[in-house]
Amino acid sequence: MSGLIHLLNSHGLTEDTIIKATFYGIAGLTVLFAFFVVIARNIFHSALSLAVVLIGVACAYLYLDTEFLATVQVLVYVGAIMTLFIFTIMLTADVHKKMSLKINPRVLLSAYAAALILIILIKIINAGPWLPEVKDAVPLDLAQLGRSLMTNYGLPFEVISLLSLAALVGAIVIGKTEKK
Amino acid sequence: MFTLLNLTNMITTGIAVLGFIAISAMFLIWWERKVSAHIQTRLGPMRVGWHGILQSVADAIKLLLKEDIRPAGADKLVWWLAPFFVVVPSVMAFATIPFGKTLIPKDLNIGVLYILAVSSVCVLGVFMAGWGSNNKYSLLGGIRAAAQIISYEVPLILSMITVVMYANTLSMQKIVESQSHSWNILHPNLALAGLIYITSATAEVNRAPFDIPEAESELVAGFHTEYSGMKFAMFFIGEYTNLFIISAIATTLFFGGWKGPLLPGVIWFLIKTYSIIYILMWIRWTFPRLRVDQLMGFAWKFLTPISFLNLAIAGWLLL
């Protein structure tokens, strides 16, 4: 064991370098799976790739020392939203058919919209400093987070829940079958 | 810099957790067979070792040697990855389970949330198994498991939040500390939360009376119908590890964790956890299976409103 430790330390391999090295691997995988979400020929594969992407984003939060955000990301997106996605996919007919790459008939229009978004994103990213000065991460005080959600950010919080409620009611209205 | 201490710590913790999972799962499988047998006035496994105690070891060797059969129309990668998605999250969940005062892999300050988040990934594995097998029984099992887990996750989380509100912390170790004087289960508000937790946790791990995802009489074996050999064994290990985890969480949240007189903490923790597992086995072999609609109705029309009410009462009492 001590030989291994000596070897690791003598090559300058500290925990910090390992954290950096794994970051690029995970970030690369996240982007790769994001690509799979779009190009997968099968909708179930797309959904699974999306789940991997969301886990990858949670890992990115971990690298930023925000464990709480990472946990909530996995709990809400992978645990709840992806489960619902996949559940819905399983209920659709012909899920086992190998679907071919769907070419959208409005492919030009979509490309135009995508290009516009890209330009906007580039403008926004260029507006601020690239790689801003990183301050040492402050450990997140959960009590304070909860308090500010209930006081300072009370109104946006409630508006979001109202929005979810509206979506819920909408889903029920769409899903309701007329009795005849 | 790496130091000898943290590297050895990491490695020994990992090995200890993996070893514990393997032994605990094999023991639980044997125990479940014995309990079910005695409830049905049978003897259960008797031939391998004393009262068949080595039966699980023999089964494990058999499963290791079995041929790994893949159904013809299976979605190769999805089918191959599914068992890992079931086992790995349950191994990760061990990171914040307090076995004793210092016997906890890592006492995260968001421990409860961490366990919930990690174990919620398991359902992806169930989906993948159900869908990748290219078998209608597997697919139906997967759909049922999904519906059930989504539904019962709501009362499960709400009942855990009630405990968190009383303990004022999300760390597992501090929740244990908050029960120094009396167990949470003795508090009327939290006793109800405990009951809701045990009920919905039973549903989360697909055990009878909530075992419609693997209802043998309807679905052969549900999502793992097509699996054989070691992959099947991995689903089994995952299932029994999850059973241990939900009981360990129940011990920590409601039964005072590792606290107890005379005996060392880890012994108390194991006694309490395995007692809860015994009760869950007892329930499994006593009650009949619910229908799908009864199961859903029970979650949404009974458990969820009651746990919201309980949460509201807890909030009112605490203010």
Side-chain angles (χ1 to χ4, degrees), chain A residues 67-89:
Chain A
E67 293 128 347
F68 178 73
L69 207 55
T71 330
V72 170
Q73 162 93 6
V74 173
L75 185 65
V76 172
Y77 284 96
V78 183
I81 293 182
M82 280 320 298
T83 315
L84 280 174
F85 267 26
I86 296 177
F87 184 60
T88 324
I89 289 170

Side-chain angles (χ1 to χ4, degrees), chain B residues 232-288:
Chain B
F232 172 73
M234 280 181 71
F235 278 111
F236 235 64
I237 290 172
E239 200 177 316
Y240 280 91
T241 310
N242 283 333
L243 177 62
F244 179 86
I245 289 169
I246 60 155
S247 310
I249 297 173
T251 306
T252 311
L253 295 190
F254 300 103
F255 294 93
W258 45 265
K259 282 198 184 286
L262 297 172
L263 295 169
V266 60
I267 305 281
W268 272 114
F269 178 81
L270 291 178
I271 289 174
K272 287 173 185 175
T273 306
Y274 282 101
S275 308
I276 294 170
I277 294 177
Y278 176 75
I279 292 169
L280 291 179
M281 286 181 178
W282 186 8
I283 291 171
R284 174 171 177 181
W285 295 102
T286 315
F287 288 108

Side-chain angles (χ1 to χ4, degrees), chain A residues 33-50:
Chain A
F33 273 94
F35 194 58
F36 282 152
V37 176
V38 185
I39 63 158
R41 281 162 181 261
N42 188 311
I43 192 163
F44 190 80
H45 289 171
S46 293
L48 282 181
S49 312
L50 187 57

Side-chain angles (χ1 to χ4, degrees), chain A residues 120-140:
Chain A
I120 292 169
L121 279 179
I122 289 172
K123 290 227 170 204
I124 290 171
I125 290 168
N126 277 340
W130 187 247
L131 285 180
E133 200 66 24
V134 182
K135 284 180 192 151
D136 277 341
V138 191
L140 181 68

Side-chain angles (χ1 to χ4, degrees), chain A residues 107-121:
Chain A
V107 62
L108 281 175
L109 210 62
S110 327
Y112 179 64
L116 276 184
I117 292 171
L118 181 70
I119 292 168
I120 292 169
L121 279 179

Side-chain angles (χ1 to χ4, degrees), chain B residues 299-316:
Chain B
W300 289 109
K301 292 177 188 160
F302 183 75
L303 275 185
T304 308
I306 268 202
S307 36
F308 266 118
L309 194 69
N310 194 30
L311 192 72
I313 292 171
W316 184 63

Side-chain angles (χ1 to χ4, degrees), chain A:
Chain A
M1 191 71 85
S2 57
L4 176 68
I5 289 158
H6 182 72
L7 188 78
L8 288 172
N9 284 336
S10 65
H11 285 77
L13 274 172
T14 56
E15 276 176 356
D16 195 49
T17 29
I18 287 184
I19 286 170
K20 274 179 190 151
T22 50
F23 171 76
Y24 287 109
I26 289 172
L29 268 181
T30 310
V31 175
L32 187 73
F33 273 94
F35 194 58
F36 282 152
V37 176
V38 185
I39 63 158
R41 281 162 181 261
N42 188 311
I43 192 163
F44 190 80
H45 289 171
S46 293
L48 282 181
S49 312
L50 187 57
V52 177
V53 171
L54 293 171
I55 294 174
V57 172
C59 292
Y61 289 143
L62 277 185
Y63 285 111
L64 295 170
D65 281 332
T66 48
E67 293 128 347
F68 178 73
L69 207 55
T71 330
V72 170
Q73 162 93 6
V74 173
L75 185 65
V76 172
Y77 284 96
V78 183
I81 293 182
M82 280 320 298
T83 315
L84 280 174
F85 267 26
I86 296 177
F87 184 60
T88 324
I89 289 170
M90 278 178 156
L91 286 179
T92 53
D94 301 336
V95 72
H96 271 295
K97 270 189 195 154
K98 292 260 185 264
M99 274 168 259
S100 56
L101 197 60
K102 290 172 296 260
I103 295 287
N104 195 327
R106 296 184 191 124
V107 62
L108 281 175
L109 210 62
S110 327
Y112 179 64
L116 276 184
I117 292 171
L118 181 70
I119 292 168
I120 292 169
L121 279 179
I122 289 172
K123 290 227 170 204
I124 290 171
I125 290 168
N126 277 340
W130 187 247
L131 285 180
E133 200 66 24
V134 182
K135 284 180 192 151
D136 277 341
V138 191
L140 181 68
D141 184 8
L142 282 180
Q144 195 164 3
L145 181 78
R147 212 163 285 134
S148 57
L149 267 183
M150 287 292 141
T151 53
N152 290 356
Y153 299 95
L155 187 66
F157 190 66
E158 289 305 318
V159 170
I160 289 172
S161 31
L162 202 67
L163 201 67
S164 318
L165 186 70
L168 216 70
V169 173
I172 292 170
V173 169
I174 292 170
K176 203 175 125 197
T177 46
E178 294 279 325
K179 275 187 192 153
K180 275 177 189 168

